[in-house]
Amino acid sequence: MTRHLLVPMDDSETARGALEHALSIHPDDEITVIHVIDDLEAGYAGGPAGGADEVEPDFFAAVQAMADEYGRSVDTTVVEGTSADAILEYARDEDVDQIVMGSEGRSGVSRMLLGSVAETVTRKSRIPVTIVP
């Protein structure tokens, strides 16, 4: 039975590790990579508060290149909202069976002010969450 995995991604090393983990450990499962545009985080970090059309084109090209290394394809999506809530809402709405995510994403001021997305997702999720260091 094919399961549906959700892999939240930013440009961090741990997020890339989570995708590699999902690709290698779950070779027969459907994988969706989600990127959350968090306007609140962008404001704290001093960056622009852009929408879904602001994602770098190379971001998902790099995601697909990683999947290609495993002979796989992945679905991608961009959503807006508060990171943890957006991840959990997408997982609930799209009948995701498991979330695979990095232990920490971006660092710096925004992480200190906003707390840990991985910790919040793990605490609030009603489905299994695998945290990859």
Side-chain angles (χ1 to χ4, degrees), residues 41-120:
E41 181 177 325
Y44 276 124
D53 57 340
E54 300 274 332
V55 177
E56 291 290 324
D58 293 341
F59 180 78
F60 286 123
V63 166
Q64 190 55 55
M66 288 177 64
D68 290 345
E69 292 177 19
Y70 290 86
R72 304 279 307 276
S73 65
V74 295
D75 295 322
T76 59
T77 189
V78 178
V79 298
E80 295 183 47
T82 304
S83 294
D85 291 338
I87 292 164
L88 292 165
E89 181 178 343
Y90 185 91
R92 185 177 47 253
D93 292 349
E94 299 299 324
D95 293 323
V96 169
D97 298 299
Q98 183 174 349
I99 300 169
V100 179
M101 64 189 302
S103 58
E104 57 188 44
R106 296 182 185 102
S107 60
V109 175
S110 64
R111 184 165 181 254
M112 288 188 305
L113 291 172
L114 297 174
S116 172
V117 173
E119 189 270 331
T120 302

Side-chain angles (χ1 to χ4, degrees), residues 88 101 117-127 129 131:
L88 292 165
M101 64 189 302
V117 173
E119 189 270 331
T120 302
V121 168
T122 301
R123 192 168 24 85
K124 291 184 174 182
S125 180
R126 295 179 187 247
I127 60 173
V129 178
I131 302 297

